[in-house]
């Protein structure tokens, strides 16, 4: 019974090791590592471009404090 | 600046992003809500366990609440209930965004989340009822583990399918980390439960499998998800690409290569083959490469933008997490050296190290990610900046207090416990054969029999009390966070202006987006 488990475990070991090599080869062939500057910018787009922060504290609820912060 | 993009292109991108966020809405919010419930339960269990270490009589008659059950229940609730559940939500949302593809049939992921949470509930109940397995990190009985595995595998398949139909051709560094995580964790989890739960290998090999799992669940599941979130959110929030994309990719592939070898350094001094431990120590040293790449990228991307920590709650938590990652990794690599490990092993120092990693790094990063993601899913702004500040300062200071107390207290404890008695030969040389042997045994009885050891234990008390205090502080922070999430999920609070939350750009205050 336990022999089956060992076959599973060592089989998986080889499969997973091979997958890492396959993934790295795939990435190299597809040019994933060329033109790194453009790749780094893929998370930005025209609506959320570089130079534009996308998070801030919610504005205060009282209108007076909101005006004061906006006037800064 | 490049040429101004066409207006319809920007509108198309914004519409797609809205579509993606809407497709993730139900499963991700369900995962986040469940994770916050587990967070509160896990923190209560933590404070209770910590309290029992200096007040052992407290609730000692209630079997389910004895230390031997509360402590593993705490570990498993925060690891599988809080951290992994939150991690799954963050992972799904990021995979969809980075693939620029909506989540298909989100109901399936909702069912997977149900399976996962049922597993955590069953496992925690089993531990508290006294049916836990006595193997650290693997305390859940195999039945609960099967539910967890089914839930995770289903989510992983769905994430992989979303990746397969991606519209973004480039695989961003965060995506590599996420793909690694969904690929490695099921393997790790299944193998550990095969060899420790279903067909136990027995003997010393069990310890080896135990720490291969215990170390790698951090290295190939929590670390990749946390780093993926940092590599996505940091540039997005401050609006600046990663400092060195080249280094970030090097970091991923070296992590993939080295981390999984490092587990055996948990068994230094144990009855395992020395070469096995030595290989792990070498791998732990090699981990300096990926850690340094992350540290350099993190700092250099933030450089000149630290003032934005005042403006962005997401940034506060994520930067805190990134700094803790560097700290805990350097500390961990150094602790793997035999000479440094010697006094620290089996002391409270280890607990401080574990919290710096799982809390300071991973949990803080997940808080930051949830502050970013939840408003984009619900379309509601966070209800109160004050509560966010309370959350940040309570958990930040609480964690620092805990880590400092346990690191110092643990170091003192470890050094004291290593104060071995002088060897027998020295006594014989000084007192002659008969008197020497007699004095040797008399002193040994006096020192290690009871008196000395108890004194060392008593010496740890103030540090343990400080830890309970820090736990209470963290609990207050968690309540503030839970209230914020509950208000947001209940649909209260102001409607977010547009799909990409930008009330006012602190860099360009005149630019207000409606």
């Amino acid at each position: 019974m336990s022999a089956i488990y060992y076959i599973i475990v060592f089989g998986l070991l080889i499969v997973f090791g091979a997958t890492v090599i396959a993934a790295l080869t795939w990435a190299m062939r597809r040019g994933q590592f060329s033109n790194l500057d453009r790749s780094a910018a893929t998370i930005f787009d025209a609506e959320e471009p570089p130079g534009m922060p996308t998070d801030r504290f919610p504005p205060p609820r009282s209108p007076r404090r909101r005006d004061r912060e906006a006037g800064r | 600046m490049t040429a101004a993009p066409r207006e319809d292109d920007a509108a198309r991108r914004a519409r797609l992003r809205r579509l993606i966020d809407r497709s993730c809405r139900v499963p991700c919010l369900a995962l986040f809500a469940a994770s916050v419930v587990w967070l509160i339960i896990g923190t209560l269990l933590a404070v209770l366990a910590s309290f029992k270490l200096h007040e052992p009589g407290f609730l000692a008659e209630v079997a389910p609440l004895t230390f031997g059950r509360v402590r593993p229940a705490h570990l498993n609730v925060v690891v599988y209930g809080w951290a992994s559940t939150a991690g799954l939500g963050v992972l799904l949302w990021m995979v969809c965004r980075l693939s620029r593809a909506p989540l298909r049939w989100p109901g399936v992921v909702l069912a997977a989340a149900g399976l996962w949470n049922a597993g955590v509930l069953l496992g925690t109940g089993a531990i508290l009822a006294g049916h836990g397995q006595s193997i650290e990190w693997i305390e859940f009985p195999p039945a609960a583990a099967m539910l967890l595995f089914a839930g995770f595998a289903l989510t992983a398949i769905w994430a992989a399918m979303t990746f397969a139909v991606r519209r973004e051709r480039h695989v961003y560094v965060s995506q590599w980390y996420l793909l690694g995580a969904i690929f490695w964790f099921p393997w790790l989890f299944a193998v550990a439960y095969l060899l420790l739960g279903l067909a136990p290998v027995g003997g010393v090999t069990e310890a080896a499998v135990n720490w291969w799992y215990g170390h790698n669940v951090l290295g190939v599941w929590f670390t990749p998800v946390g780093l993926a979130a940092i590599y996505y959110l940091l540039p997005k929030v401050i609006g600046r690409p990663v400092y060195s994309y080249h280094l970030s990719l090097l970091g991923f592939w070296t992590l993939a290569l080295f981390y999984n070898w490092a587990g055996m350094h948990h068994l230094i001094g144990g009855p395992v083959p020395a070469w096995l431990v030595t290989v792990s120590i070498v791998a732990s040293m090699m981990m300096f490469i990926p850690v340094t790449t992350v540290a350099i990228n993190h700092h250099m991307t933030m450089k000149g933008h630290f003032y934005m920590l005042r403006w962005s709650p997401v940034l506060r938590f994520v930067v805190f997490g990134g700094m803790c990652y560097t700290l805990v990794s350097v500390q961990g690599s150094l602790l793997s050296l035999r000479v440094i490990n010697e006094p620290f092993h089996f002391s409270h120092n280890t607990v401080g190290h574990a919290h710096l990693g799982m809390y300071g790094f991973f949990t803080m990063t997940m808080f930051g990610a949830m502050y970013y993601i939840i408003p984009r899913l619900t379309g509601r702004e966070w209800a109160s900046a004050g509560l966010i500040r309370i959350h940040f300062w309570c958990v930040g200071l609480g964690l620092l207090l805990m880590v400092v107390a346990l690191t110092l207290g643990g170091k003192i404890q470890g050094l004291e416990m290593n104060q071995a008695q002088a060897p027998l030969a020295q006594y014989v040389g000084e007192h002659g054969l008969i008197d020497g042997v007699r004095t040797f045994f008399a002193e040994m009885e006096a020192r290690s029999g009871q008196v000395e050891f108890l004194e060392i234990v008593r010496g740890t008390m103030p540090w343990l009390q400080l830890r309970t205090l820090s736990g209470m502080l963290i609990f207050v922070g968690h309540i503030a966070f839970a209230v914020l999430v509950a208000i947001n999920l209940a649909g209260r609070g102001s409607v977010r202006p547009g799909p990409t939350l930008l009330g006012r750009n602190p860099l360009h205050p005149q630019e207000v987006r409606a």
Side-chain angles (χ1 to χ4, degrees):
Chain A
M1 187 61 191
S2 66
I4 297 167
Y5 289 117
Y6 284 114
I7 292 166
I8 294 172
V9 167
F10 285 98
L12 282 174
L13 192 72
I14 292 161
V15 169
F16 273 77
T19 322
V20 172
I21 296 166
L24 191 56
T25 319
W26 173 87
M28 304 265 262
R29 289 238 178 93
R30 286 294 193 88
Q32 291 284 340
F33 304 134
S34 57
N35 202 346
L36 295 179
D37 284 344
R38 205 172 60 199
S39 306
T42 50
I43 55 170
F44 300 101
D45 55 38
E47 215 219 6
E48 289 184 356
M52 179 183 285
T54 58
D55 183 68
R56 62 185 292 271
F57 273 103
R61 260 178 302 174
S62 86
R64 196 187 300 163
R65 280 194 64 190
R66 205 179 303 161
D67 290 345
R68 202 174 60 208
E69 280 202 11
R72 190 178 295 161
Chain B
M1 286 298 286
T2 50
R6 285 176 298 133
E7 198 54 41
D8 60 330
D9 183 52
R12 195 171 48 81
R13 285 293 180 94
R15 201 171 58 244
L16 179 60
R17 188 162 39 230
R18 234 180 348 260
L19 198 68
I20 290 168
D21 286 352
R22 200 182 306 142
S23 74
C24 293
R25 187 166 184 238
V26 173
C28 285
L29 287 180
L31 282 164
F32 289 150
S35 74
V36 174
V37 172
W38 288 119
L39 178 71
I40 298 294
I41 297 173
T43 319
L44 280 173
L45 289 167
V47 175
L48 183 58
S50 176
F51 194 70
K52 278 166 172 287
L53 277 181
H54 50 83
E55 298 293 336
F58 183 67
L59 288 177
E61 294 83 16
V62 190
L65 297 180
T66 43
F67 183 79
R69 299 188 193 176
V70 170
R71 198 266 176 190
H74 156 64
L75 188 147
N76 285 275
V77 165
V78 292
V79 162
Y80 299 108
W82 151 247
S84 297
T85 313
L88 280 171
V90 172
L91 177 144
L92 264 178
W93 179 82
M94 274 201 293
V95 165
C96 292
R97 271 225 168 175
L98 292 168
S99 307
R100 290 195 204 276
L103 190 68
R104 296 181 179 186
W105 300 297
V108 175
V109 182
L110 190 66
L115 283 174
W116 177 271
N117 280 287
V120 179
L121 190 65
L122 181 67
T124 310
I127 291 175
L128 289 178
H131 299 296
Q133 304 198 98
S134 306
I135 306 169
E136 210 173 350
W137 290 84
I138 309 185
E139 279 101 344
F140 281 173
M146 284 175 188
L147 284 174
L148 290 181
F149 184 80
F152 192 97
L154 208 52
T155 316
I157 290 169
W158 242 244
M161 275 173 46
T162 309
F163 177 73
V165 297
R166 68 192 178 281
R167 290 177 212 180
E168 173 59 56
R169 291 185 61 159
H170 178 70
V171 184
Y172 187 66
V173 56
S174 296
Q175 190 84 298
W176 280 114
Y177 276 115
L178 295 172
L179 291 174
I182 61 170
F183 206 60
W184 293 323
F185 182 73
W187 170 45
L188 190 69
F189 194 74
V191 169
Y193 266 94
L194 276 177
L195 298 181
L196 296 175
L198 296 171
V201 281
V204 156
T205 320
E206 271 195 20
V209 177
N210 183 186
W211 285 109
W212 171 77
Y213 175 78
H215 189 77
N216 279 324
V217 73
L218 301 170
V220 303
W221 166 233
F222 292 118
T223 302
V225 174
L227 290 183
I230 292 178
Y231 269 126
Y232 182 71
L233 292 175
L234 206 63
K236 274 300 260 188
V237 169
I238 68 177
R240 178 195 205 180
V242 172
Y243 168 72
S244 167
Y245 196 67
H246 178 256
L247 275 184
S248 73
L249 289 172
L250 182 74
F252 169 75
W253 288 101
T254 46
L255 179 125
L257 195 58
F258 299 132
Y259 210 127
N260 54 88
W261 294 78
M264 295 306 112
H265 67 212
H266 288 261
L267 298 174
I268 291 175
V272 288
W275 67 265
L276 210 59
V277 177
T278 305
V279 167
S280 277
I281 296 174
V282 173
S284 307
M285 286 294 118
M286 297 306 280
M287 279 303 293
F288 270 115
I289 298 172
V291 171
T292 312
T293 63
V294 173
I296 290 175
N297 256 337
H298 180 190
H299 182 77
M300 296 306 284
T301 308
M302 273 305 288
K303 202 179 168 194
H305 289 70
F306 280 101
Y307 71 94
M308 287 179 70
L309 291 173
R310 261 194 71 209
W311 291 94
S312 164
V314 174
L315 205 57
R316 278 195 195 181
F317 283 94
V318 168
V319 167
F320 192 103
M323 287 176 169
C324 285
Y325 175 71
T326 308
L327 268 179
V328 76
S329 304
V330 169
Q331 188 193 20
S333 288
L334 293 177
L335 279 174
S336 78
L337 295 170
R338 283 190 175 88
V339 61
I340 298 179
N341 187 277
E342 203 174 289
F344 289 125
H345 209 162
F346 302 124
S347 77
H348 291 299
N349 188 287
T350 311
V351 184
H353 173 65
H355 281 89
L356 187 59
M358 271 309 286
Y359 199 97
F361 162 51
F362 190 77
T363 296
M364 291 300 261
T365 307
M366 286 304 108
F367 285 146
M370 283 161 79
Y371 275 123
Y372 194 83
I373 300 170
I374 291 179
R376 285 165 172 77
L377 299 184
T378 60
R380 298 265 164 192
E381 186 53 270
W382 290 108
S384 157
L387 277 178
I388 299 179
R389 291 196 176 95
I390 290 175
H391 176 209
F392 178 76
W393 288 108
C394 281
V395 297
L397 292 176
L399 175 83
L400 287 181
L401 177 64
M402 183 196 302
V403 171
V404 169
L406 291 180
T407 305
L408 278 179
K411 174 160 186 179
I412 295 168
Q413 177 200 19
L415 288 174
E416 283 175 347
M417 288 206 296
N418 277 11
Q419 287 295 324
Q421 205 178 354
L424 179 62
Q426 194 179 320
Y427 282 84
V428 173
E430 278 173 22
H431 302 283
L433 183 64
I434 293 174
D435 273 347
V437 171
R438 194 182 293 148
T439 331
F440 174 80
F441 279 108
E443 281 201 17
M444 189 168 83
E445 201 172 53
R447 290 169 74 103
S448 60
Q450 274 206 322
V451 185
E452 284 263 331
F453 181 71
L454 266 185
E455 269 173 28
I456 296 170
V457 172
R458 278 199 200 97
T460 62
M461 293 280 270
W463 307 108
L464 298 178
Q465 284 158 349
L466 274 182
R467 190 213 351 223
T468 302
L469 186 69
S470 77
M472 288 172 175
L473 205 57
I474 288 173
F475 184 67
V476 171
H478 287 171
I479 292 292
F481 181 59
V483 168
L484 278 170
V485 173
I487 292 175
N488 201 315
L489 293 188
R492 306 291 289 269
S494 57
V495 178
R496 267 163 47 85
T500 52
L501 170 63
L502 266 189
R504 176 164 41 83
N505 184 338
L507 286 179
H508 309 287
Q510 70 282 3
E511 182 182 304
V512 177
R513 294 205 146 208

